[in-house]
Amino acid sequence: MYPPKFDYYRANSIDEAFALMGQLGDAKLLAGGHSLIPALKLRLAAPSALIDIGRIGELKGISRNGSTATIGALTTHATVAAASDLPAALTEAAGWIGDPQVRNRGTVGGNIAHADPASDLPTVLTALGATMNMRGLNGARSVSADDFFIDLFMTALGEDEILTSVDVPVDGAGTAYAKLFNPASRYAIVGVAAKVSVSGGQCTSARVALGGLTPSAVRAPSVEAALVGKALTADNIAAAAAQVGGDLDDVMGDIHASEEYRRAMAPIYVQRAVSKAAERAG
Amino acid sequence: MMRAVGSTLSRVDVVDKVAGVAQYPGDIDLPGQLWMKVVFAGIPHAQINALNVDRARAAPGVVAVLTAADVPVNEYGLIIPDQPVLCGPGSTPTAAHVRWEADQIALVVAATKAQAEAAAQLIEVDYTPLPVITDPLAALAPDAPRIHANLPDNVLYSYRIRRGHMESAFAQADVIVESEYRTHAQEHAYLQPEAGLAFVRDDGRIEVIIAGQWMHEDRQQIAHALGLPEEQIVVRYPAIGGAFGGREDMSLQIVLALAAWKTGRPIKTIWSREESIVGHHKRHPFIFKAKWGATKAGKVVAAQMDVISDAGGYMYTSNKVLGNALVACLGPYDIPNVHVDARTVLTNNCPGGAFRGFGGPQGHFAAEMQMTKLAAALGMDPVELRLQNVLRDGALLPTQSVVPPGCTAAETLEEAARRGGWMQSADGRWQRAAHAPSIQSAAGPQASARQTSLDASRRRIATGVGIAVCYKNVGFSLGFPEHCYAKVELYGEAEIEKAVVSCLGADVGQGAHTAFLQIAADALNLPPERIELQVEHTDITGSSGSASASRLTFMAGHAIQGAAAGALQEWQHEERPARCEFVFHPRPTTMYDPETGVADPSVTYGYCAQYAEVAVDLDTGHVEVTRLVSVNDVGKAINPQLVEGQIEGAAAQAIGWTLLENFIQKDGRTLTPHLSNYLIPGVLDIADVIEPVILEIPDPQGPLGLRGMAEMPMIPTAPAIAAAIHNATGIWIDQLPIVPERMWTALQAQNGA
């Protein structure tokens, strides 16, 4: 299937992109194209124009400032997967996206702005407590991952805004990502990211997020509450994971997995992600 | 000189295919060609009241819009002509009836693809929707709507076997196992979707360039629908991107020829992957109700089977597949009392048709599950039980004819068992040490000895082993007038400088042409470089028959040897060039007796046994094949590397069918028309280890002793995996595919019990 016809524009700077967005009616921003082009082919979107921001150098690359890593929106999944100083949950999730072609072209910003419910990065960034940085004609603003992912393919990003970067805390906590995936696309049927800190043999903080189950990535507050203050033994992790059902409304079902199966897999993958994160927390 | 047969000669097409030079139908363009869009009904069951194509005809670039009224003889079908070329009014009384969502209703021919597709959107169809039948059991209900007016019960075809006395046989049995098995549709998923061209040649004949499996059958089908003599049609096969039975029936052959004939212009089209998946037949889904009995001593004394297959809306090869399943569902065993009732039933699902194994994988899933369950119920080793009942030379088939000589079901099974860790004790009985306790104690889930382990991420994994054996006919069966043409021409003066070998068997990727070359080289005592193959089109020689039924190397091997011998004789008589055209006829076969099934059904058989090791994730239901040993008796490996390729490819396709591939239709519509939702195995999904094992026990009927082998390794995989799953978990999975959710559901039921 071929995408519907569109006009193609290339922006060489963020300002040029804003100018084009103002000028063109229903344009869409094109980064790596690995979410947008399939959506066009499936006729899920039919913008009259695409503004290619893929060559804007200032949006690429990873920098570090103290305990915060800043990932430019146009950084590819392959670059993230190969990074040595990012949380393990993020690098392993990026390394499991699609296939090498997808990872070499697909971008972090494009992925999270698209906000596919089966996508990995929204789940991971929610668990890591990341912050999305965006710029509009009226200036820049930042939104936490908890508030950024609103619904199916819907984020806090305004129509006249560009996602510029993501801030990820790098604080020595143990993190991990585990997923049950579609073997063809590697999209998550159930994806779970966990971030735990351990002190004196006890869990001092926990963030657990799930994707693939609900229209957008969600935290699992019941699981988190059940972990904090406990030793991260296999039994305690299993008991906490069993709480996850209460954190999930509106679980989706489709030809790849029924709602019932997805619900049943949630605690299994919570257990797997938290166990691995706990090992990494030392 | 080195013998060509038995060597791993490089494939004749390998360089062109690897370099991307080989021309598949979609790669070919003709000057002045137009593009054809085939319009599907898009509705699974309906009457077409009217079809208005005026707006489409007036659209930019459109040269012609063809409908049912334009088809000279609007019917086709390999077995019976029950399918309209184009559905719609203005033709035969049955043609206005849509029975399948991919029934073709119009052909839009335009200057460009975009114009043809745009104009296709402008066709207006007035449908009266009819009730959609999606379940063959519902189709059998007395008040079910009729799919074809002449078949009031929706039963398209039926066969039966009556041998022995069931009541007394079951009375003799110490254990009886009853189960219902369900197997599912499978998409061929060849790399190259349907594509082709047609044009009217300078000599006034229509040439169709397409990828198929049997040029002369394509030619016959095209000629019939166009109302033309066969000589008026030329069919040419360029490179073929896989087939697996999926190109046995017509897809684009007739409509391309029709459009070229009506417009006088070259016509081209390429189906998208979606059009391919929606638009061609699938492996038949089957339902088996089985009741088998055995004595404590390990003799299977009775097998009763009720068999139903889902034919979809048209015959395709449903009766032939059913005919194979009729015996396959009893496995390669000598069972003295057998009753089978088999029916293939019409629905509005995608038609069932040819697919590697042709009823064999479905039938053997039921048969081999029954054998594994009987072994468990008797507390016998599953290999030992099989060997006590397996067909051996001199034994009677269920059709009460003697199995053709060279029956090696036991030899393949023994080799698979040895490689799977079985040993024969001093008293001759077969036993396997490691997993034997759980194989033997399958009275209930509690009795199973689970092999569980925990890995670092706390997965609970159970492992198990399983084994299965099969047989499959070689060549077309049941009285079909099997034959195969080949022609050899020898050029030179004192010595043979060049040989031209003609044989029209399709190389669908299996390497048939390379095998032809190797057989010809040895038959003529020439190096392969001095032989030129002519294999491309129907003018070259007579029919070599289909690239199916594991028949081609067997039949063409004989034909090429015959033509080579004849040409060498002419050469001795100083003929220059020396020529011989030879037709090979194998021994005749007979159709099933309608009451008893008595027949001599098949020319000969090929045998395969497989041993599988699996790991089952007890939390998620994921099943992984960690090792698959596939033992094939191929009689003589003409090219061992190509044989191994067939075994490994079949293993991938069979593991995919068993664990992953899930063709889903709802209300007669395909929900999985993409390779992103119809999942075929990638390299990581197949098996950690596949061990292809070649046995070479000659078939007395085979040229050089060879046996057909391409389908057999597709057949025992599913029951071997299901046996291994039972060994691991104590759960019998009687329905395919064993996707994680089905396995998980069964594990939940076990835990809840």
Side-chain angles (χ1 to χ4, degrees), chain A residues 1-4 6 28-47 50 77 97-99 101-102 105-107 110-111 114 116 153 185 187, chain B residues 274 674 676:
Chain A
M1 219 182 294
Y2 295 96
F6 53 82
K28 279 243 173 211
L29 296 178
L30 174 69
H34 278 59
S35 299
L36 181 58
I37 301 298
L40 297 185
K41 289 182 176 182
L42 292 169
R43 301 296 190 267
L44 297 174
L50 297 187
H77 305 312
I97 292 173
D99 52 38
Q101 290 92 326
V102 171
R105 289 292 301 169
T107 67
N111 181 294
H114 184 65
D116 191 308
F153 302 109
S185 65
Y187 270 123
Chain B
E274 294 77 10
H674 308 283
S676 57

Side-chain angles (χ1 to χ4, degrees), chain A residues 30-203:
Chain A
L30 174 69
H34 278 59
S35 299
L36 181 58
I37 301 298
L40 297 185
K41 289 182 176 182
L42 292 169
R43 301 296 190 267
L44 297 174
S48 63
L50 297 187
I51 302 166
D52 184 355
I53 58 169
R55 301 188 196 199
I56 302 179
E58 59 187 294
L59 296 179
K60 290 181 190 174
I62 303 169
S63 60
R64 179 74 175 265
N65 186 357
S67 62
T68 301
T70 299
I71 304 171
L74 289 180
T75 309
T76 63
H77 305 312
T79 303
V80 172
S84 56
D85 52 357
L86 291 176
L90 185 55
T91 54
E92 70 194 354
W96 291 343
I97 292 173
D99 52 38
Q101 290 92 326
V102 171
R103 293 195 290 276
N104 285 330
R105 289 292 301 169
T107 67
V108 170
N111 181 294
I112 58 184
H114 184 65
D116 191 308
S119 189
D120 302 301
L121 296 185
T123 311
V124 175
L125 294 172
T126 300
L128 296 179
T131 302
M132 316 305 177
N133 303 312
M134 51 202 94
R135 209 191 291 175
L137 283 174
N138 301 324
R141 67 183 181 118
S142 298
V143 176
S144 74
D146 283 339
D147 298 326
F148 185 79
F149 300 104
I150 294 171
D151 207 338
L152 203 66
F153 302 109
M154 200 189 286
T155 69
L157 189 66
E159 285 203 351
D160 51 359
E161 287 180 312
I162 294 177
L163 181 70
T164 53
S165 64
V166 182
D167 290 339
V168 178
V170 186
D171 49 18
T175 71
Y177 184 62
K179 72 168 167 175
L180 170 66
F181 55 85
N182 173 318
S185 65
R186 307 255 147 183
Y187 270 123
I189 292 169
V190 175
V192 181
K195 173 177 177 175
V196 294
S197 300
V198 176
S199 178
Q202 287 197 339
C203 177

